Amino acid sequence: MNIKIVTDSTADIPPQLAKSLGITIVPLYVRFGEKALKDGVEITQDQFFERLQTESVHPNTSQPSPQDFIDVYRELAPTCDGIVSIHISSKLSGTYDSAIQAKKLLGKDAPPDRSYRFTFGFHGTGTAGATGGGSGFLRQKS
């Protein structure tokens, strides 16, 4: 079974590690004033910390939109048997809710419900290792 792993940029997985494990990262947005930048895509960690020290405007973050997740899920769905989507806790961010909304908005275009699993926290590298190691699909715990 070919399972794809999706997480968000709060996981802080180095890009090379994510690529080697087949993890797709949906970036949150970092805002300095009016300018929104995709975390890890349009602004690196080094650039973030440099700006944090030099700019008078303090940054804030914004969750990815449901469309951001739809784009990723549509890209991955034809290439796999299932998607495990692992995100920051819904108590800390709206990212999880955006991922759930994306699944609902995909409707009939989405893979079967059993293909998506949503969880809190981040255990993506272990999950990627487990699914890549032939251990099969991980079941959702209630």
Side-chain angles (χ1 to χ4, degrees):
M1 205 171 213
N2 181 16
I3 307 300
K4 297 293 184 181
I5 308 297
V6 175
T7 191
D8 58 72
S9 60
T10 64
D12 283 334
I13 301 173
Q16 288 302 96
L17 179 59
K19 183 178 180 179
S20 71
L21 293 172
I23 298 172
T24 300
I25 299 174
V26 178
L28 273 71
Y29 293 89
V30 178
R31 290 185 183 274
F32 281 92
E34 297 299 314
K35 179 85 171 159
L37 304 165
K38 290 183 178 183
D39 182 26
V41 176
E42 298 171 334
I43 186 169
T44 66
Q45 284 185 351
D46 289 341
Q47 291 167 332
F48 172 83
F49 286 112
E50 174 67 27
R51 290 182 75 170
L52 188 61
Q53 293 175 3
T54 60
E55 293 203 14
S56 59
V57 176
H58 290 284
N60 60 38
T61 60
S62 179
Q63 71 209 40
S65 70
Q67 188 63 51
D68 292 331
F69 284 101
I70 287 171
D71 294 344
V72 167
Y73 295 156
R74 279 190 176 145
E75 180 181 333
L76 294 177
T79 69
C80 65
D81 299 310
I83 297 171
V84 178
S85 206
I86 305 169
H87 303 290
I88 186 172
S89 171
S90 62
K91 293 182 180 186
L92 300 174
S93 172
T95 300
Y96 174 84
D97 291 330
S98 287
I100 294 292
Q101 288 175 36
K103 169 65 169 100
K104 290 177 182 175
L105 289 168
L106 281 170
K108 66 181 173 77
D109 295 328
D113 286 342
R114 70 182 187 286
S115 298
Y116 286 84
R117 298 295 182 257
F118 296 92
T119 186
F120 298 125
F122 179 70
H123 303 287
T125 55
T127 303
T131 59
S135 63
F137 193 75
L138 302 175
R139 303 276 181 220
Q140 180 177 3
K141 290 183 112 178
S142 300

